[in-house]
Amino acid sequence: PRKVDIMVVMGLVDTVERRFWARETSTDWWDHIVLQVWDESQWLRNFRMRKGTFIELCELLSPALKRQDTRMRAALTIQKRVAIALWKLATPDSYRSVANQFGVGKSTVGVAVMQVAHAIVDLLLPKVVTLGDVQAIIDGFAAMGFPNCGGAIDGTHIPILGLEHQGSQYINRKGYFSMVLQALVDHKGRFTNINVGWPGKVHDARVFKNSGLFRRLQQGVY
């Protein structure tokens, strides 16, 4: 046995439990202000949704966002992870600013945004963005003065940072870097189909002709 082991056994040296270092951060703003004090108008202004909708969203995403505590630190709650992602998506704040706001690390913000985005795509997109009752949509458009209409379609440009490779392909006609989001909505403005990812330089007609929506319409299966 090593000398130090013998000294421990004889009581000459005390053992110390190993601890992991972590920077002190404050979560008071989220725990005591946002969750307990904010009213509906503040939730709408900052998270783009009411608190009740936020709670419901967290419950729907919980199967994909549950995490286990480790010896190093307790896992972020589902509510806090969703709040971080929504705040980043709803505001122009930097990752550092969001991290300081919620009392977490900057890298934690990036991870939370991606986790929540993937969870939304996997769990909610197939349920929420769907065609629904076609006849009700046609009747709704007819009442607005648009007979025989099953949806309103358009493209919009989502601003992005310039890419190092093929950057020129993402400069749209307005002169900034973007990706194209093609959206189909019903008579109430609800999304029934989306297609996203084409470079901003690509014309809306080309995006439409290469979308799954176009193929299914051509095949008569949408």
Side-chain angles (χ1 to χ4, degrees):
R2 296 178 302 157
K3 290 182 180 180
V4 68
D5 296 328
I6 296 173
M7 295 173 71
V8 169
V9 172
M10 294 177 64
L12 301 177
V13 176
D14 294 328
T15 58
V16 178
E17 183 180 354
R18 186 186 299 263
R19 292 184 297 176
F20 294 93
W21 178 87
R23 179 174 297 178
E24 290 278 340
T25 56
S26 174
T27 62
D28 289 345
W29 175 78
W30 167 250
D31 294 331
H32 303 298
I33 304 298
V34 178
L35 287 179
Q36 299 181 24
V37 178
W38 274 16
D39 58 23
E40 291 294 330
S41 64
Q42 289 172 300
W43 275 88
L44 280 171
R45 188 165 59 250
N46 292 283
F47 291 102
R48 309 291 180 88
M49 63 181 63
R50 293 180 172 83
K51 185 177 180 180
T53 305
F54 171 78
I55 299 299
E56 182 181 358
L57 179 62
C58 292
E59 292 174 353
L60 292 171
L61 298 179
S62 61
L65 294 178
K66 285 181 179 177
R67 295 293 185 273
Q68 296 289 332
D69 293 343
T70 67
R71 289 184 59 191
M72 290 184 285
R73 60 171 61 89
L76 288 181
T77 65
I78 293 173
Q79 288 188 359
K80 190 169 186 178
R81 211 170 314 148
V82 174
I84 289 172
L86 291 178
W87 188 281
K88 182 67 187 78
L89 295 172
T91 68
D93 292 0
S94 66
Y95 281 88
R96 188 182 303 280
S97 175
V98 178
N100 293 335
Q101 193 88 344
F102 285 87
V104 298
K106 188 172 71 170
S107 61
T108 301
V109 175
V111 171
V113 171
M114 294 307 299
Q115 287 176 344
V116 173
H118 284 303
I120 290 173
V121 171
D122 293 340
L123 298 180
L124 299 186
L125 191 62
K127 298 177 181 178
V128 177
V129 183
T130 182
L131 183 57
D133 188 337
V134 179
Q135 191 57 52
I137 295 174
I138 294 174
D139 293 342
F141 275 114
M144 298 166 63
F146 300 96
N148 302 316
C149 179
I153 189 169
D154 198 5
T156 185
H157 291 272
I158 309 300
I160 64 170
L161 296 176
L163 304 177
E164 294 182 1
H165 62 289
Q166 298 180 335
S168 61
Q169 296 298 315
Y170 289 84
I171 300 178
N172 60 38
R173 64 181 182 275
K174 298 180 180 180
Y176 61 87
F177 294 96
S178 68
M179 282 187 178
V180 179
L181 165 65
Q182 174 187 279
L184 180 72
V185 299
D186 65 12
H187 60 294
K188 293 185 177 181
R190 296 174 298 195
F191 289 103
T192 57
N193 185 274
I194 62 171
N195 181 284
V196 67
W198 280 84
K201 190 176 182 178
V202 178
H203 193 275
D204 284 355
R206 183 182 172 195
V207 174
F208 174 61
K209 194 169 183 180
N210 285 275
S211 67
L213 172 63
F214 179 83
R215 289 193 297 272
R216 282 179 282 172
L217 288 171
Q218 289 290 92
Q219 297 166 3
V221 296
Y222 186 67

